Amino acid sequence: AVSDAKLTFVSVESKVTSGAKLYDVRTAEEYGAGHFPGAINWSLQDIEAGKLPDTPKDTVIFLYCRSGNRSAQATELLKKAGYSDITDLGGLSDVEALGAKLIK
């Protein structure tokens, strides 16, 4: 998932504050049960259906899902659609390891 060893959730949050996007690519039900601060629910199903984020293609984008599988698929789809700065944070436990706490 993440190659940048210095990445922390604090640095993700600060990038989101300055315009980056943090997408939770799980279902709305999963998102509702708990997600990370600042995360926007944008399900993999929507991305697969061609519903792409209405944001410039060079926007910094972070993705996560439950296990890392769907975020990897979403990363590939968004790259194919022309988005150029995507970081797959992996699954919930990966993001928690960066210092994030789930909120409801």
Side-chain angles (χ1 to χ4, degrees), residues 2-84:
V2 180
S3 56
D4 182 358
K6 295 183 215 59
L7 190 69
T8 63
F9 195 69
V10 170
S11 65
V12 170
E13 284 185 304
S14 82
K15 287 180 179 170
V16 168
T17 304
S18 58
K21 301 292 183 197
L22 174 61
Y23 292 124
D24 180 325
V25 299
R26 300 175 301 156
T27 65
E29 293 75 23
E30 288 174 295
Y31 178 83
H35 56 271
F36 295 113
I40 301 162
N41 188 208
W42 203 286
S43 73
L44 176 62
Q45 290 90 336
D46 280 351
I47 296 169
E48 286 174 332
K51 295 180 189 154
L52 298 171
D54 181 16
T55 183
K57 301 278 188 184
D58 61 349
T59 299
V60 175
I61 295 175
F62 297 97
L63 303 173
Y64 71 88
C65 63
R66 187 185 57 76
S67 67
N69 189 359
R70 284 174 283 180
S71 59
Q73 292 175 51
T75 297
E76 287 311 306
L77 288 166
L78 290 173
K79 281 183 177 165
K80 282 188 185 132
Y83 293 88
S84 57

